[in-house]
Amino acid sequence: MNFTRTEAIKHLNSTSLWDIVIVGGGATGLGIAVDAASRGYKTLLVEKHDFAKGTSSKSTKLVHGGVRYLANGDVKLVYSALKERGLIFQNAPHVSFVQSFVIPSYGFFSKFKFLVGLKLYDWMAGSLRIGKSTLLNKQEVREKLPKVKTKGLRGGIQYFDGQFDDARLAINLAQTASEYGATLLNYAEVTAIHKDSTQHVNGLSFVDVESGDSWRVLAKVVINATGIFVDDILKLDTPTHKNLVRPSQGAHIVVDQKFLGNHDALMIPETSDGRVLFGVPWHDKVLLGTTDTPLDEHQIEPRPLEEEIEFILTTAQEYLTDAPTRADIRSVFAGLRPLAAPTNGNGNSTKEISRDHKLIKSDSGLITITGGKWTTYRKMGEETVDLAIRVGKLDNKTCQTTTLPLHGYTLEKQEGHWQVYGSDNEHIRTLMQQHPKFAEKIHPNHDFRIAEVVWACQHEMIVKIEDFLARRIRLLLLDAHASLEAAPLVARVMAEHLGKDQNWITQELTDYENLVKNYTL
């Protein structure tokens, strides 16, 4: 089945009662959809924007247990996340990678303190361990991080963690759920939660933003998996609901690979304000971040604050020779984490709040899941469906996702960004062979091809040019100006394959130009 909105709407018309309806198409909602569909439940997922439009495409691109959480004593979360890291490597090897990290040490005692913690980190991963932490001398650190400052350098530690492409894994989860019979629809905004005569939730209404059509669907269970927006859905259920979530913003900047200089990543475990900062090679660029800034409001397109950008650049200057400046930034972006709203007086401290997830059943039977981290999406999905079975009195079926290969699964390796397509890579290559024009690049400085636009129209449910440039490929996050230059060609190709007119192209280019302002200085 082609993963398109047309196919999804056909399925909407043919189903009168769903077992499970999920609101939210980020990592958590998509993980729930895969779990539910693979168990055989009639599953529908609706997403107000595009899949992974919010936080789930704006992470630090790490599949990890969380070294910082171990330091905070959150052993349960780290243990679970390390297991799940191993399962992502097992089930989606095409989109996840082992990454070497180096912690440079400028103090004798700090080197051994971090080594002890990382040895514990290795041990907790058990049979799913992906590397062994070791001490490095000064010369070894310089070889691995040729741009690191050497004054006062005492050596360092190398450890191994996971890296992935978050938005690509998200679309693979959506495709996997679809292949197991789930119906997923992006650009579908929930407008009401419905209840039966006993005030138990029995469905919802949503508007197809693309067509303007309204839909009302019946469901045995409704799950709220909307991340930072969970309170908005809970208020549809209970208008007097008090907010559960206080968003925390994590900002990142993207610069050229030359500023780090190798394949190893930099990890700074103790910045000036106690946060962790990473410098991670990603798609031939370097991702620097993240911050942890509490906010009073949530929005789908947060912009990094000036103080966050300065904090990242200043910290990089402390550790790197020829550190990047504002002029070197290719893109900036921010994601919002759904943290538990503070109940004490210290509303501005988020570093000690657990990143573990919370699963809540309202009196009406509405299930809400919030918190958590990308790495644990599968476990969160399993626990949520287990609860849905009890709430909806569904036939009890066993979870299948522990060993379930995700769409695109392959052990074959490809060069460059082609790797993240997995087994779909050969189909896109075939398109280029059959239609030589499709082999043309969409931008002279980047190896993205017209065939990828065509493929995304046919098999990856793109609606807006932003969907393609920001999430199906990652050009907006890698080089915002280049993505703007590529936008007119992408818009023309999409219009041809999605049946859109010149007015659509004009509006899309205007919308995209406004969006890019959030990703540039």
Side-chain angles (χ1 to χ4, degrees), residues 283-412:
H283 287 307
D284 296 323
K285 301 291 183 188
V286 171
L287 196 69
L288 293 170
T290 182
T291 59
D292 197 356
T293 308
L295 299 179
D296 292 321
E297 58 184 27
H298 55 269
Q299 52 188 317
I300 193 63
E301 275 293 345
R303 179 176 172 82
L305 305 174
E306 277 298 317
E307 54 263 37
E308 292 180 303
I309 295 167
E310 285 303 315
F311 169 78
I312 294 171
L313 289 173
T314 300
T315 305
Q317 287 170 6
E318 293 173 4
Y319 288 86
L320 299 176
T321 61
D322 302 318
T325 66
R326 292 175 68 90
D328 299 306
I329 294 176
R330 296 288 186 178
S331 185
V332 298
F333 65 92
L336 299 183
R337 308 177 187 94
L339 302 183
T343 54
N344 55 29
N346 187 8
N348 287 322
S349 176
T350 66
K351 291 187 284 293
E352 285 73 38
I353 297 176
S354 173
R355 262 54 173 185
D356 211 347
H357 58 276
K358 293 178 175 60
L359 195 52
I360 302 158
K361 182 180 80 69
S362 300
D363 292 341
S364 65
L366 176 68
I367 294 174
T368 295
I369 182 161
T370 185
K373 54 205 296 292
W374 233 122
T375 309
T376 58
Y377 84 86
R378 190 212 62 83
K379 184 63 174 174
M380 293 161 67
E382 178 182 354
E383 292 181 10
T384 306
V385 174
D386 284 346
L387 178 58
I389 291 169
R390 298 194 295 273
V391 171
K393 298 180 173 59
L394 307 177
D395 291 340
N396 196 352
K397 301 176 183 178
T398 306
C399 174
Q400 304 294 312
T401 57
T402 305
T403 57
L404 186 77
L406 298 181
H407 180 94
Y409 175 96
T410 180
L411 296 175
E412 185 177 341

Side-chain angles (χ1 to χ4, degrees), residues 176-306:
T176 305
S178 176
E179 287 160 4
Y180 278 90
T183 299
L184 301 94
L185 194 66
N186 54 4
Y187 295 96
E189 181 177 0
V190 172
T191 55
I193 299 287
H194 300 300
K195 300 176 183 179
D196 61 19
S197 58
T198 65
Q199 294 304 299
H200 192 274
V201 170
N202 68 352
L204 53 79
S205 290
F206 67 88
V207 173
D208 179 348
V209 179
E210 269 290 277
S211 65
D213 294 339
S214 296
W215 295 81
R216 178 166 180 163
V217 296
L218 295 174
K220 296 177 183 177
V221 185
V222 174
I223 297 170
N224 173 16
T226 52
I228 57 168
F229 298 102
V230 292
D231 290 314
D232 297 350
I233 300 300
L234 282 163
K235 285 172 184 173
L236 292 178
D237 176 47
T238 308
T240 57
H241 163 77
K242 291 184 179 179
N243 286 354
L244 289 173
V245 166
R246 169 83 181 276
S248 167
Q249 178 162 295
H252 304 79
I253 67 174
V254 178
V255 297
D256 288 337
Q257 177 74 39
K258 66 181 182 181
F259 291 105
L260 196 57
N262 218 330
H263 302 295
D264 298 273
L266 167 69
M267 195 272 215
I268 302 168
E270 293 178 346
T271 60
S272 58
D273 70 346
R275 291 183 288 208
V276 170
L277 195 80
F278 292 99
V280 186
W282 188 64
H283 287 307
D284 296 323
K285 301 291 183 188
V286 171
L287 196 69
L288 293 170
T290 182
T291 59
D292 197 356
T293 308
L295 299 179
D296 292 321
E297 58 184 27
H298 55 269
Q299 52 188 317
I300 193 63
E301 275 293 345
R303 179 176 172 82
L305 305 174
E306 277 298 317

Side-chain angles (χ1 to χ4, degrees), residues 468-479:
F468 179 75
L469 288 167
R471 289 174 291 280
R472 304 307 185 272
I473 66 172
R474 313 311 307 277
L475 190 53
L476 175 60
L477 272 61
L478 295 168
D479 190 335

